[in-house]
Amino acid sequence: MDLGIAGKWALVCGASKGLGLGCAQALVREGVNVVIVARGAELLQSAAAQLRADAGTPAGTAVEAVAADITTTEGRASVFAVRKDFDIVVTNAGGPPPGDFREWDRDAWIKAVDANMLTPIELIKATVDGMAARGFGRIVNITSSSVKSPIDVLGLSNGARSGLTGFVAGVARTKLASQGVTINNLLPGAFDTDRLKGGMATAAKKSGQSVEAVAEARRKTIPALRFGTPEEFGAICAFLCSTHAAYMTGQNVLADGGAYPGTY
Ligand code: NAP
């Protein structure tokens, strides 16, 4: 299926590895020019080289890399110094750490809200009016299945991402919807990335089990009996960014191998 977005420009945040890189990869394969962002310059440059060299990347597709912390005002300014008029924005940053809410002080909460709620809102604010003026725009926020089914040790994520989800539900249904701009959230369940591996390593250490035993137990909780791949996640993201998804806005799209147990 031709997604109808070749030649568009996308900003993909948190894209040196994992889900963000999966999204960037799916977009460049559609001929979308991308600006990818992450803090670590070395891994980011090698991700950019990988995207350029990907056999599926159409000739002439531009891949630019900006090493920046997207959760800071300065970081966002350095991205927008490279380009402002994005047609597609995929918001993403690292998730907050797990823990017990009794141990989180105000600073821990501010950091989580900054990264997982206010940063996507700032990115939306900076780009949607330009998208509306040009008559096409796609925002995809990478959030988490935790907004539908909270994870006890991820209270910072449950809380901060729910704030973003509420904001998106409102803004997606404004005049922007009649101006070609869609805003959706893409909710990962368990995907095979360093973030998931890190969480399982911590759980293994705590329980005295091997990492493989923890991984196997986790897989068994998923009806698909496996973790998702960044490639699968990227393909869903690219579809949400496509011309075919123009009538989908304000949605929370869950990709979790059937793990969420609810009917709705
Ligand atoms: P990952 O493999 O750890 O990759 C995170 C990416 O984001 C890296 O490229 C990282 O590079 C970049 N990043 C982190 N903080 C950043 C910042 N402040 N500014 C710019 N870039 C930043 O994580 P992932 O699994 O892809 O997860 C992506 C998001 O989905 C996270 O918010 C995570 O909590 C959420 N999520 C993931 C899963 C899962 O199963 N994987 C499930 C639910 C939710 P640098 O560190 O170099 O900046």
Side-chain angles (χ1 to χ4, degrees), residues 16-148:
S16 63
K17 61 180 180 172
L19 303 180
L21 180 56
C23 294
Q25 191 173 46
L27 290 168
V28 297
R29 283 184 179 169
E30 290 300 317
V32 174
N33 306 302
V34 295
V35 174
I36 58 170
V37 184
R39 292 164 302 179
E42 207 175 312
L43 194 59
L44 184 69
Q45 288 302 342
S46 79
Q50 187 189 322
L51 291 170
R52 290 182 197 112
D54 187 332
T57 301
T61 306
V63 177
E64 293 180 21
V66 178
D69 183 341
I70 200 68
T71 67
T72 65
T73 308
E74 304 74 41
R76 289 189 291 276
S78 68
V79 169
F80 291 122
V82 171
R83 182 169 202 99
K84 280 196 187 76
D85 53 347
F86 291 102
D87 308 297
I88 294 167
V89 174
V90 179
T91 77
N92 179 35
D100 184 322
F101 76 93
R102 294 168 189 84
E103 288 153 18
W104 298 327
D105 58 14
R106 182 176 166 76
D107 280 353
W109 274 107
I110 296 295
K111 212 170 158 202
V113 168
D114 237 348
N116 299 113
M117 179 183 171
L118 299 180
T119 293
I121 291 173
E122 288 291 345
L123 293 168
I124 291 168
K125 188 171 90 177
T127 55
V128 286
D129 290 335
M131 291 174 177
R134 294 188 299 277
F136 178 93
R138 298 285 184 269
I139 304 277
V140 176
N141 302 299
I142 300 181
T143 65
S144 172
S145 60
S146 71
V147 300
K148 277 182 81 85

Side-chain angles (χ1 to χ4, degrees), residues 145-155 158-159 162 260:
S145 60
S146 71
V147 300
K148 277 182 81 85
S149 181
I151 302 165
D152 57 357
V153 294
L154 289 178
N158 302 337
S162 292
Y260 175 67

